[in-house]
Amino acid sequence: MAKNYYQPEMETMPLEDIQQLQSEKLVKQVKHVYENVKYYRDLMDAKGVKPEDIKGIEDLHKLPFIKKDDLREAYPYGMLATDLNKCVRIHSTSGTTGKRVVAFYTQHDVDMWEECCARAIVAAGGTNDDVCQVAYGYGLFTGGAGLHGGSHKVGCLTLPMSSGNTDRQIQFMMDLNATILCCTPSYAAYIGETLKEKGYKPEDNKLKAGIFGAEPWTEEMRHDIEKNLGIKAYDIYGLTEISGPGMAFECEEQHGMHINEDHFIAEIINPETGEVLPVGEKGELVFTALDKEAFPMMRYRTRDICVLSREKCSCGRSFIRMTKPLGRSDDMMIIRGVNVFPSQIEAVLLNCGYAPNYQIIVDRVNNTDTFDINVEMKEEDFSDIPVGITNREKELQSAMKAMLGINPKIHLVAPKSIARSEGKAVRVIDKRKRLGITI
């Protein structure tokens, strides 16, 4: 196999050298965080841990975890580890009760992140001769910005398309001979279907590879995308809280994503006890950022369930690999690439004067997530006048979009019409799981 590396000296570093580098960076990072982030210093003090207790990666387990609830409590500046005037950008993801997670970046942080994305692009066969079409969303979402920066690092001609406007996507794809497509897998599938409807065959486009992430997708979906677009489809993983896409990426073997271990330490823990599990066992993925200056997460619990592997890879990379997330250890759903929590929906309902009696129904139709919410009306508000109900559904849908960042379809239903089981309603019906899609 061809060996495609952006930074070969790092990506093929022997394991003992990786671990030595991680230890050196961890000692410095713990000191940086302890001295500059009061919130985390208090967690360490409560656990009786001082920076001098961390002498290398073998001591990582002594540090306290960080959870999404901590980020919510510390919002917006409580986790900031540098002066604000050293920060050049923020990105954001949704929080569980409406407070968004705001991640800060210094120029160093942006450069490191873009280098990680460049590694992913080169691993997918990208060079400075390629035309990279970035159809992830731009803005607060990390997808567009990360792959855009990575494409620049590689030297590709970058098409900053953002998401949507599929006719324009296809026009630029065909007219400018795009060779690499970066977007969510469901949008890649939709582009493939639209091309087919327009009479194009896979061989009519110049695409050779796609880098797809931000939402769960199956191997069957990968094969369909590859067939319809005539490409090789690569997975990519990242979290706004840590860095963004590019923390891990697939190589040509397409068998697990290599984690950029010179920048991140990955652990697998028992989600119930917090016990660190051996490599090869299934559990919750935990990340520590070794290089982040502005927003350095230590032992951040991702809630993603996966397995790590040190099995030698034919691509020659020595970085550990992670499977696709096999599920979640919390109640978060990923819908159209957006994190959605039932607690967010409850907060909107209460703020809008509804009782929190609802049911979320998620499905995937034609490779696109559908998102419906049934909401029980109160007895005193119930009306069978269609116009009044329709207007209230629109108002509630607007409030939901403001909270979630995506549009659900709202259905106001009669009081007590949502079935209860042992007195408690089933809140989430995720029909994607019958398709083998792990969320």
Side-chain angles (χ1 to χ4, degrees):
M1 285 187 179
K3 301 298 190 294
N4 301 316
Y5 309 123
Y6 178 68
Q7 294 168 314
E9 71 286 355
M10 303 306 296
E11 296 174 60
T12 62
M13 184 182 292
L15 177 59
E16 57 270 26
D17 293 345
I18 290 174
Q19 292 177 334
Q20 181 179 343
L21 179 63
Q22 287 181 329
S23 289
E24 292 170 359
K25 288 187 173 185
L26 179 64
V27 170
K28 292 179 181 176
Q29 187 72 306
V30 171
K31 186 173 185 292
H32 170 61
V33 172
Y34 188 85
E35 291 177 352
N36 294 287
V37 182
K38 181 182 182 302
Y39 190 99
Y40 198 74
R41 179 167 66 247
D42 290 345
L43 291 178
M44 286 181 62
D45 288 346
K47 201 174 180 185
V49 183
K50 299 296 181 185
E52 53 268 26
D53 297 327
I54 309 301
K55 298 179 172 58
I57 56 175
E58 67 276 6
D59 296 318
L60 181 63
H61 69 279
K62 298 177 182 178
L63 293 170
F65 294 111
I66 285 285
K67 305 182 293 298
K68 188 159 254 185
D69 284 348
D70 293 307
L71 303 186
R72 187 183 71 221
E73 288 180 22
Y75 172 91
Y77 297 119
M79 288 290 183
L80 184 61
T82 59
D83 291 338
L84 195 59
N85 62 12
K86 294 181 180 178
C87 297
V88 298
R89 191 191 301 174
I90 68 157
H91 283 284
S92 177
T93 185
S94 61
T96 57
T97 61
K99 283 189 177 179
R100 303 182 69 89
V101 173
V102 176
F104 297 85
Y105 296 74
T106 64
Q107 187 59 52
H108 166 273
D109 297 338
V110 172
D111 290 339
M112 180 271 289
W113 174 26
E114 291 179 347
E115 285 179 358
C116 288
C117 289
R119 292 178 184 179
I121 291 171
V122 173
T127 71
N128 60 1
D129 292 324
D130 281 291
V131 178
C132 186
Q133 182 159 339
V134 183
Y136 284 109
Y138 280 64
L140 291 173
F141 178 55
T142 53
L147 273 302
H148 180 104
S151 176
H152 277 212
K153 292 279 189 188
V154 175
C156 304
L157 174 62
T158 307
L159 309 184
M161 302 298 296
S162 194
S163 56
N165 201 332
T166 305
D167 286 343
R168 186 176 63 187
Q169 299 274 1
I170 290 173
Q171 179 191 345
F172 275 73
M173 177 187 297
M174 304 303 289
D175 292 350
L176 295 174
N177 295 321
T179 54
I180 299 173
L181 176 64
C182 304
C183 62
T184 62
S186 59
Y187 193 49
Y190 182 71
I191 289 174
E193 291 166 3
T194 307
L195 282 167
K196 188 174 181 180
E197 290 171 2
K198 289 178 178 290
Y200 291 107
K201 298 181 175 65
E203 57 268 25
D204 292 335
N205 72 67
K206 300 296 183 184
L207 291 174
K208 65 179 184 181
I211 300 174
F212 308 132
E215 65 185 14
W217 53 312
T218 62
E219 286 301 308
E220 290 75 18
M221 188 172 180
R222 185 207 297 264
H223 297 323
D224 285 344
I225 293 171
E226 289 182 333
K227 179 182 176 182
N228 291 336
L229 289 177
I231 63 172
K232 195 164 182 177
Y234 297 85
D235 209 346
I236 191 168
Y237 179 89
L239 301 160
T240 300
E241 299 93 322
I242 306 295
S243 177
M247 292 170 58
F249 59 90
E250 278 188 324
C251 63
E252 60 261 34
E253 193 170 288
Q254 294 176 300
H255 187 59
M257 291 172 276
H258 291 279
I259 295 171
N260 285 305
E261 289 190 279
D262 53 332
H263 299 303
F264 312 104
I265 300 177
E267 302 171 272
I268 294 292
I269 65 166
N270 181 319
E272 301 297 327
T273 66
E275 173 196 5
V276 179
L277 301 176
V279 170
E281 290 197 22
K282 183 168 72 172
E284 182 183 336
L285 184 61
V286 173
F287 271 111
T288 295
L290 293 169
D291 295 296
K292 286 290 292 291
E293 292 179 338
F295 202 70
M297 292 291 97
M298 308 294 290
R299 303 197 81 196
Y300 180 73
R301 295 186 59 165
T302 68
R303 298 296 183 180
D304 284 328
I305 302 297
C306 75
V307 178
L308 298 179
S309 172
R310 281 282 179 201
E311 183 181 344
K312 187 176 180 180
C313 186
S314 63
C315 77
R317 287 178 180 79
S318 49
F319 291 154
I320 199 167
R321 280 181 286 178
M322 60 175 280
T323 62
K324 285 176 177 287
L326 305 172
R328 297 281 303 175
S329 66
D330 61 9
D331 62 352
M332 189 187 86
M333 300 168 287
I334 302 175
I335 304 173
R336 302 176 206 151
V338 176
N339 299 349
V340 176
F341 293 85
S343 54
Q344 292 174 302
I345 291 167
E346 290 183 14
V348 173
L349 293 177
L350 291 169
N351 288 338
C352 293
Y354 293 87
N357 296 322
Y358 64 95
Q359 192 168 67
I360 303 163
I361 302 172
V362 187
D363 203 349
R364 184 161 287 177
V365 179
N366 296 326
N367 289 312
T368 300
D369 288 340
T370 62
F371 181 19
D372 292 74
I373 305 175
N374 295 332
V375 179
E376 284 187 4
M377 289 186 285
K378 295 179 180 178
E379 291 281 0
E380 60 269 26
D381 296 331
F382 181 58
S383 169
D384 58 0
I385 302 174
V387 175
I389 291 177
T390 300
N391 289 338
R392 279 186 279 174
E393 287 174 340
K394 289 179 179 178
E395 291 172 358
L396 191 52
Q397 180 172 304
S398 178
M400 288 290 181
K401 184 180 180 183
M403 168 68 86
L404 305 173
I406 57 174
N407 247 331
K409 191 168 183 179
I410 302 294
H411 309 274
L412 291 177
V413 299
K416 300 180 182 177
S417 61
I418 295 176
R420 268 69 164 174
S421 175
E422 296 180 359
K424 185 177 181 181
V426 177
R427 294 295 186 210
V428 180
I429 299 175
D430 197 333
K431 297 181 179 179
R432 296 173 297 183
K433 294 180 180 178
R434 61 174 162 70
L435 304 175
I437 301 169
T438 52
I439 306 304

